[in-house]
Amino acid sequence: MKSLSAPVRRPREDRAAPLRRSDIPAAASGRRLAGAGSVFGAIADHGPVARSTVARLTGLSPASVSGHVGRLLARGLVRESAETTGPKGLGRPHVPVEIDTGGYLVAGAHIAVAHSTVCLMDLRGRIVAEDRQPHRTTEPRGLLAGLAARLPRLVAAHAGGRTVLALGLATGHRVDPVTGVIVDHPQLGWRDVPAGDLLSAATGLPVHVDSHSRALARAEQLFGEESTRASTVLLFVGAVVDAAFSTEGTMHRGPRSGAGSVAHLPLGVGGAGGPEACSCGRTGCLQSEVSEGAMVRRAAEQGLIVGSFPQLLARALAGDARAVPLFRRRARLVGRAAAVLLDMFDPEVLVVVEPGAGRIPECLADLRAEVAERSWVCDDPERAVVPTSFTGHVLATAGGAVALGALYVDPLGPWPALPAAS
């Protein structure tokens, strides 16, 4: 595999000119969900909105939309707003509908390498409450049992009488959303952990499980960057480094749930600035150069001793002259990987989940500059490379979005806490 280190490059005018983004026809709009899911999504996007407008947006017949809306009303997922009429009282009054956030919530959980987060999220994707705690154990059953035990306290303190419909669980590396199994998480030492079944037994809730990258890509499509709906790559850079790929709203998982395993993309020792060994035994891998652990170790090598990555980030946000260059270096290395992913998939947008890109303007500028230099496909990094919409609540959003994404796909499905769909 070619290294991502700085290539020997001739000036652009001396090279054969491949197709650039400006030469390629625009992608078609994202594929619509069928039936009730498309109606629910249109109401989320445009509500309060008239049923007739929902019919135009979804391409469904007015009668079909009315039927779906009636069932969504009966389940308490949408509500009617005040009647409106045409200008100066002309026109037939209509009753708009919107998402009802007053009756139900979803719960979310995210398992990171050093800590776990539990949250409550309303039906519009807004975080109601979250609780992050360090791991007391990384033994799977013990960790999951402790996570489940935290949820009732969060509900009692913050749900405000609303019912929790389901629990979503997100984590890094390989996750099988069909079986609810965490297939492989090397940093936790987990293999084939039936997390969905264990959490469902502990909480009594339907549990949906997925990778945090796919969950965040889905959250962008539902509530964040609208351009992600046609096609997107999401690059997650934390203690774990991985990615998600989506076309027309459909996430690609791969037959072994391994899609998005970009941790070992080679940056090249010469261009990466250090020979730190990766867990795979090689040097210059993306994760070994830009992960949170690598950042803390590199800071220590330069005499900046911090107890954790959040402390290092806080120093950078405060303008520390030793911390900021570490994050700018990280941004440039992430930009190398982003350029490769843009050229491989040519998505409408690439979303970067990395706190420097989200909170330090110089980091985002450095990342985009690296993309501009290295990508053959992306002519407009300002538009095509964006930070996550959920900076500050990334991990909580990932967990909640797993459950909420399932609801938006099938709002009339078998959700035990909801009235039966007629």
Side-chain angles (χ1 to χ4, degrees):
M1 185 174 189
K2 289 184 68 176
S3 168
L4 304 193
S5 59
V8 177
R9 306 189 72 179
R10 292 176 285 163
R12 288 191 185 273
E13 62 267 23
D14 292 339
R15 290 179 279 164
L19 280 176
R20 306 291 293 178
R21 179 177 291 277
S22 57
D23 302 320
I24 300 172
S29 59
R31 184 169 59 193
R32 297 185 177 117
L33 296 172
S38 65
V39 171
F40 198 44
I43 294 171
D45 282 345
H46 301 280
V49 60
R51 292 164 175 79
S52 57
T53 303
V54 173
R56 290 196 298 273
L57 292 167
T58 61
L60 299 172
S61 71
S64 179
V65 167
S66 292
H68 288 312
V69 170
R71 287 184 283 273
L72 293 170
L73 285 166
R75 301 202 99 179
L77 297 176
V78 302
R79 64 188 177 196
E80 294 182 327
S81 302
E83 287 188 2
T84 62
T85 60
K88 297 182 180 179
L90 299 177
R92 182 179 178 181
H94 65 256
V95 182
V97 290
E98 61 185 336
I99 300 297
D100 189 346
T101 59
Y104 300 103
L105 300 167
V106 297
H110 180 273
I111 299 172
V113 173
H115 54 80
S116 60
T117 302
V118 181
C119 81
L120 298 175
M121 176 182 279
D122 74 15
L123 299 193
R124 291 193 59 80
R126 297 173 294 205
I127 300 297
V128 173
E130 63 181 286
D131 169 53
R132 181 181 299 184
Q133 295 186 17
H135 295 323
R136 296 183 178 180
T137 176
T138 56
E139 188 280 321
R141 290 179 181 272
L143 192 157
L144 292 168
L147 188 153
R150 289 155 54 190
L151 185 57
R153 295 193 294 271
L154 202 66
V155 171
H158 299 284
R162 288 172 286 186
T163 299
V164 175
L165 294 177
L167 170 65
L169 174 67
T171 192
H173 294 294
R174 291 173 57 195
V175 180
D176 184 348
V178 176
T179 62
V181 169
I182 298 172
V183 178
D184 187 28
H185 196 305
Q187 286 142 303
L188 291 174
W190 290 14
R191 284 192 65 85
D192 298 324
V193 175
D197 289 344
L198 292 172
L199 282 174
S200 183
T203 64
L205 293 169
V207 176
H208 302 267
V209 185
D210 210 341
S211 81
H212 56 206
S213 295
R214 289 193 292 263
L216 287 166
R218 182 69 175 131
E220 293 287 350
Q221 293 169 345
L222 287 172
F223 310 112
E225 181 65 39
E226 187 174 352
S227 59
T228 60
R229 295 181 182 183
S231 60
T232 186
V233 171
L234 183 137
L235 179 57
F236 183 99
V237 182
V240 172
V241 179
D242 51 19
F245 317 115
S246 172
T247 301
E248 294 185 332
T250 299
M251 297 292 163
H252 178 67
R253 299 195 303 267
R256 290 164 292 278
S257 303
S261 299
V262 299
H264 302 292
L265 279 175
L267 292 170
V269 176
E276 181 168 345
C278 180
S279 60
C280 69
R282 296 188 290 258
T283 58
C285 291
L286 178 62
Q287 183 163 280
S288 69
E289 290 290 341
V290 304
S291 68
E292 292 179 358
M295 291 283 286
V296 172
R297 290 190 293 273
R298 186 167 291 276
E301 291 170 1
Q302 299 184 13
L304 179 56
I305 308 300
V306 293
S308 65
F309 178 81
Q311 291 178 16
L312 180 61
L313 176 61
R315 297 285 288 269
L317 293 174
D320 186 289
R322 291 177 294 177
V324 171
L326 291 171
F327 279 87
R328 294 190 67 175
R329 172 187 178 273
R330 186 195 211 194
R332 291 191 293 271
L333 294 177
V334 171
R336 296 185 190 182
V340 170
L341 295 173
L342 284 161
D343 287 357
M344 288 176 67
F345 294 97
D346 188 25
E348 190 68 23
V349 65
L350 184 144
V351 179
V352 179
V353 183
E354 191 276 321
R359 303 175 70 178
I360 303 172
E362 297 89 344
C363 288
L364 183 59
D366 287 343
L367 195 159
R368 285 170 168 166
E370 199 75 15
V371 167
E373 169 62 23
R374 293 172 178 273
S375 174
W376 286 96
V377 170
C378 180
D379 274 334
D380 187 4
E382 294 285 331
R383 183 195 63 78
V385 180
V386 300
T388 177
S389 303
F390 308 107
T391 297
H393 299 283
V394 165
L395 303 185
T397 298
V402 177
L404 202 55
L407 178 68
Y408 270 76
V409 167
D410 190 15
L412 299 183
W415 296 86
L418 293 176
S422 57

